[in-house]
Short mmCIF file of all heavy atoms in Angstrom, two decimals:
data_model
loop_
_atom_site.label_atom_id
_atom_site.label_comp_id
_atom_site.label_asym_id
_atom_site.label_seq_id
_atom_site.Cartn_x
_atom_site.Cartn_y
_atom_site.Cartn_z
N TYR E 7 -203.37 136.28 -22.15
CA TYR E 7 -201.97 135.91 -22.41
C TYR E 7 -201.85 135.59 -23.88
O TYR E 7 -202.73 135.14 -24.55
CB TYR E 7 -201.62 134.71 -21.55
CG TYR E 7 -201.71 134.91 -20.08
CD1 TYR E 7 -202.90 134.72 -19.42
CD2 TYR E 7 -200.60 135.34 -19.32
CE1 TYR E 7 -203.02 134.93 -18.05
CE2 TYR E 7 -200.69 135.52 -17.97
CZ TYR E 7 -201.90 135.35 -17.35
OH TYR E 7 -202.03 135.54 -15.99
N VAL E 8 -200.64 135.85 -24.40
CA VAL E 8 -200.36 135.55 -25.79
C VAL E 8 -198.99 134.86 -25.91
O VAL E 8 -198.04 135.12 -25.13
CB VAL E 8 -200.33 136.88 -26.65
CG1 VAL E 8 -199.25 137.82 -26.17
CG2 VAL E 8 -200.15 136.56 -28.13
N ALA E 9 -198.91 133.94 -26.85
CA ALA E 9 -197.63 133.31 -27.17
C ALA E 9 -197.43 133.30 -28.67
O ALA E 9 -198.37 133.07 -29.42
CB ALA E 9 -197.63 131.83 -26.67
N LYS E 10 -196.22 133.62 -29.08
CA LYS E 10 -195.88 133.60 -30.49
C LYS E 10 -195.31 132.23 -30.84
O LYS E 10 -194.41 131.74 -30.16
CB LYS E 10 -194.87 134.68 -30.82
CG LYS E 10 -194.62 134.83 -32.33
CD LYS E 10 -193.79 136.06 -32.65
CE LYS E 10 -193.66 136.21 -34.17
NZ LYS E 10 -192.87 137.43 -34.55
N ILE E 11 -195.85 131.61 -31.88
CA ILE E 11 -195.48 130.27 -32.25
C ILE E 11 -194.05 130.22 -32.78
O ILE E 11 -193.68 131.06 -33.62
CB ILE E 11 -196.44 129.70 -33.28
CG1 ILE E 11 -197.85 129.54 -32.65
CG2 ILE E 11 -195.93 128.38 -33.85
CD1 ILE E 11 -198.91 129.21 -33.65
N ASP E 12 -193.26 129.31 -32.28
CA ASP E 12 -191.90 129.08 -32.74
C ASP E 12 -191.90 127.88 -33.71
O ASP E 12 -191.90 126.72 -33.26
CB ASP E 12 -190.96 128.82 -31.57
CG ASP E 12 -189.54 128.59 -32.01
OD1 ASP E 12 -189.24 128.70 -33.18
OD2 ASP E 12 -188.72 128.24 -31.08
N SER E 13 -191.94 128.18 -35.01
CA SER E 13 -191.99 127.08 -35.97
C SER E 13 -190.74 126.23 -36.03
O SER E 13 -190.74 125.17 -36.63
CB SER E 13 -192.32 127.66 -37.38
OG SER E 13 -193.55 128.30 -37.39
N SER E 14 -189.66 126.76 -35.43
CA SER E 14 -188.39 126.02 -35.45
C SER E 14 -188.26 125.10 -34.24
O SER E 14 -187.17 124.52 -34.05
CB SER E 14 -187.21 127.00 -35.48
OG SER E 14 -187.14 127.75 -34.29
N LEU E 15 -189.31 124.97 -33.47
CA LEU E 15 -189.29 124.06 -32.29
C LEU E 15 -188.83 122.68 -32.70
O LEU E 15 -189.39 122.11 -33.64
CB LEU E 15 -190.67 124.05 -31.66
CG LEU E 15 -190.81 123.49 -30.24
CD1 LEU E 15 -190.22 124.51 -29.24
CD2 LEU E 15 -192.27 123.23 -29.92
N SER E 16 -187.84 122.15 -32.02
CA SER E 16 -187.28 120.88 -32.40
C SER E 16 -188.33 119.76 -32.18
O SER E 16 -189.23 119.88 -31.35
CB SER E 16 -186.04 120.54 -31.59
OG SER E 16 -186.36 120.25 -30.27
N ASP E 17 -188.16 118.68 -32.92
CA ASP E 17 -189.06 117.52 -32.75
C ASP E 17 -188.98 116.95 -31.36
O ASP E 17 -190.01 116.47 -30.81
CB ASP E 17 -188.71 116.46 -33.80
CG ASP E 17 -189.14 116.84 -35.22
OD1 ASP E 17 -189.94 117.77 -35.35
OD2 ASP E 17 -188.61 116.22 -36.16
N ASP E 18 -187.82 116.92 -30.76
CA ASP E 18 -187.65 116.41 -29.40
C ASP E 18 -188.51 117.21 -28.38
O ASP E 18 -189.20 116.63 -27.56
CB ASP E 18 -186.18 116.41 -29.00
CG ASP E 18 -185.38 115.31 -29.67
OD1 ASP E 18 -185.99 114.40 -30.23
OD2 ASP E 18 -184.15 115.39 -29.61
N ILE E 19 -188.38 118.54 -28.50
CA ILE E 19 -189.21 119.38 -27.56
C ILE E 19 -190.63 119.23 -27.85
O ILE E 19 -191.49 119.10 -26.95
CB ILE E 19 -188.71 120.84 -27.63
CG1 ILE E 19 -187.29 120.97 -27.17
CG2 ILE E 19 -189.66 121.76 -26.85
CD1 ILE E 19 -186.73 122.37 -27.30
N PHE E 20 -191.01 119.24 -29.13
CA PHE E 20 -192.41 119.08 -29.57
C PHE E 20 -193.01 117.80 -28.97
O PHE E 20 -194.05 117.78 -28.36
CB PHE E 20 -192.49 119.12 -31.09
CG PHE E 20 -193.85 118.83 -31.63
CD1 PHE E 20 -194.86 119.80 -31.64
CD2 PHE E 20 -194.17 117.54 -32.14
CE1 PHE E 20 -196.12 119.52 -32.14
CE2 PHE E 20 -195.41 117.31 -32.64
CZ PHE E 20 -196.40 118.26 -32.66
N ASN E 21 -192.31 116.71 -29.18
CA ASN E 21 -192.82 115.42 -28.71
C ASN E 21 -192.84 115.37 -27.16
O ASN E 21 -193.74 114.69 -26.57
CB ASN E 21 -191.96 114.27 -29.22
CG ASN E 21 -192.12 114.08 -30.72
OD1 ASN E 21 -193.21 114.23 -31.26
ND2 ASN E 21 -191.06 113.75 -31.45
N GLY E 22 -191.89 116.02 -26.53
CA GLY E 22 -191.93 116.06 -25.04
C GLY E 22 -193.12 116.84 -24.54
O GLY E 22 -193.77 116.44 -23.57
N LEU E 23 -193.43 117.97 -25.20
CA LEU E 23 -194.56 118.79 -24.78
C LEU E 23 -195.88 118.08 -25.00
O LEU E 23 -196.86 118.30 -24.28
CB LEU E 23 -194.55 120.14 -25.50
CG LEU E 23 -193.42 121.09 -25.04
CD1 LEU E 23 -193.36 122.29 -25.96
CD2 LEU E 23 -193.64 121.54 -23.60
N LEU E 24 -195.94 117.22 -26.01
CA LEU E 24 -197.17 116.45 -26.25
C LEU E 24 -197.53 115.55 -25.06
O LEU E 24 -198.69 115.24 -24.85
CB LEU E 24 -197.01 115.57 -27.48
CG LEU E 24 -197.02 116.24 -28.84
CD1 LEU E 24 -196.86 115.20 -29.94
CD2 LEU E 24 -198.30 117.03 -29.09
N GLN E 25 -196.53 115.24 -24.24
CA GLN E 25 -196.77 114.35 -23.11
C GLN E 25 -197.48 115.02 -21.93
O GLN E 25 -197.96 114.36 -20.99
CB GLN E 25 -195.47 113.71 -22.61
CG GLN E 25 -194.68 113.02 -23.72
CD GLN E 25 -195.54 112.09 -24.58
OE1 GLN E 25 -196.24 111.22 -24.07
NE2 GLN E 25 -195.48 112.30 -25.90
N VAL E 26 -197.54 116.40 -21.93
CA VAL E 26 -198.16 117.08 -20.80
C VAL E 26 -199.52 117.63 -21.14
O VAL E 26 -200.12 118.36 -20.33
CB VAL E 26 -197.22 118.19 -20.23
CG1 VAL E 26 -195.92 117.60 -19.75
CG2 VAL E 26 -196.99 119.29 -21.26
N ILE E 27 -200.04 117.33 -22.35
CA ILE E 27 -201.39 117.81 -22.69
C ILE E 27 -202.34 116.62 -22.68
O ILE E 27 -201.98 115.50 -22.47
CB ILE E 27 -201.39 118.53 -24.03
CG1 ILE E 27 -201.01 117.60 -25.21
CG2 ILE E 27 -200.40 119.73 -24.01
CD1 ILE E 27 -201.17 118.23 -26.61
N SER E 28 -203.63 116.90 -22.97
CA SER E 28 -204.63 115.87 -22.95
C SER E 28 -204.45 114.87 -24.08
O SER E 28 -203.89 115.17 -25.13
CB SER E 28 -206.03 116.52 -23.07
OG SER E 28 -206.17 117.13 -24.36
N ASP E 29 -204.97 113.66 -23.85
CA ASP E 29 -204.91 112.63 -24.88
C ASP E 29 -205.59 113.10 -26.18
O ASP E 29 -205.10 112.85 -27.29
CB ASP E 29 -205.58 111.34 -24.41
CG ASP E 29 -204.81 110.67 -23.26
OD1 ASP E 29 -203.63 111.01 -23.09
OD2 ASP E 29 -205.42 109.84 -22.56
N GLU E 30 -206.72 113.75 -26.04
CA GLU E 30 -207.50 114.21 -27.22
C GLU E 30 -206.68 115.15 -28.06
O GLU E 30 -206.60 114.99 -29.29
CB GLU E 30 -208.79 114.88 -26.72
CG GLU E 30 -209.63 115.39 -27.93
CD GLU E 30 -210.90 116.12 -27.47
OE1 GLU E 30 -211.24 116.04 -26.27
OE2 GLU E 30 -211.57 116.66 -28.32
N ASN E 31 -206.05 116.16 -27.45
CA ASN E 31 -205.28 117.11 -28.23
C ASN E 31 -203.97 116.54 -28.70
O ASN E 31 -203.44 116.95 -29.76
CB ASN E 31 -205.09 118.43 -27.42
CG ASN E 31 -206.24 119.37 -27.59
OD1 ASN E 31 -207.00 119.30 -28.58
ND2 ASN E 31 -206.42 120.27 -26.64
N ARG E 32 -203.40 115.61 -27.92
CA ARG E 32 -202.17 114.95 -28.40
C ARG E 32 -202.46 114.19 -29.70
O ARG E 32 -201.69 114.35 -30.69
CB ARG E 32 -201.64 114.00 -27.34
CG ARG E 32 -200.28 113.32 -27.73
CD ARG E 32 -199.88 112.25 -26.72
NE ARG E 32 -199.92 112.78 -25.35
CZ ARG E 32 -200.69 112.35 -24.40
NH1 ARG E 32 -201.53 111.29 -24.64
NH2 ARG E 32 -200.66 112.88 -23.20
N GLU E 33 -203.53 113.47 -29.74
CA GLU E 33 -203.87 112.72 -30.97
C GLU E 33 -204.22 113.67 -32.07
O GLU E 33 -203.89 113.45 -33.25
CB GLU E 33 -205.06 111.80 -30.66
CG GLU E 33 -204.69 110.65 -29.71
CD GLU E 33 -205.90 109.91 -29.19
OE1 GLU E 33 -207.04 110.23 -29.63
OE2 GLU E 33 -205.73 109.02 -28.32
N LYS E 34 -204.86 114.77 -31.75
CA LYS E 34 -205.21 115.81 -32.75
C LYS E 34 -203.93 116.39 -33.38
O LYS E 34 -203.82 116.51 -34.61
CB LYS E 34 -206.06 116.91 -32.14
CG LYS E 34 -206.52 117.96 -33.11
CD LYS E 34 -207.43 118.97 -32.36
CE LYS E 34 -207.91 120.05 -33.30
NZ LYS E 34 -208.76 121.06 -32.62
#
Side-chain angles (χ1 to χ4, degrees):
Y7 300 85
V8 62
K10 188 171 184 179
I11 294 171
D12 179 5
S13 296
S14 66
L15 195 71
S16 72
D17 289 342
D18 285 344
I19 294 176
F20 174 78
N21 290 324
L23 289 171
L24 287 180
Q25 306 313 307
V26 299
I27 66 173
S28 64
D29 292 342
E30 179 181 351
N31 275 337
R32 184 185 309 116
E33 292 168 3
K34 183 177 179 181

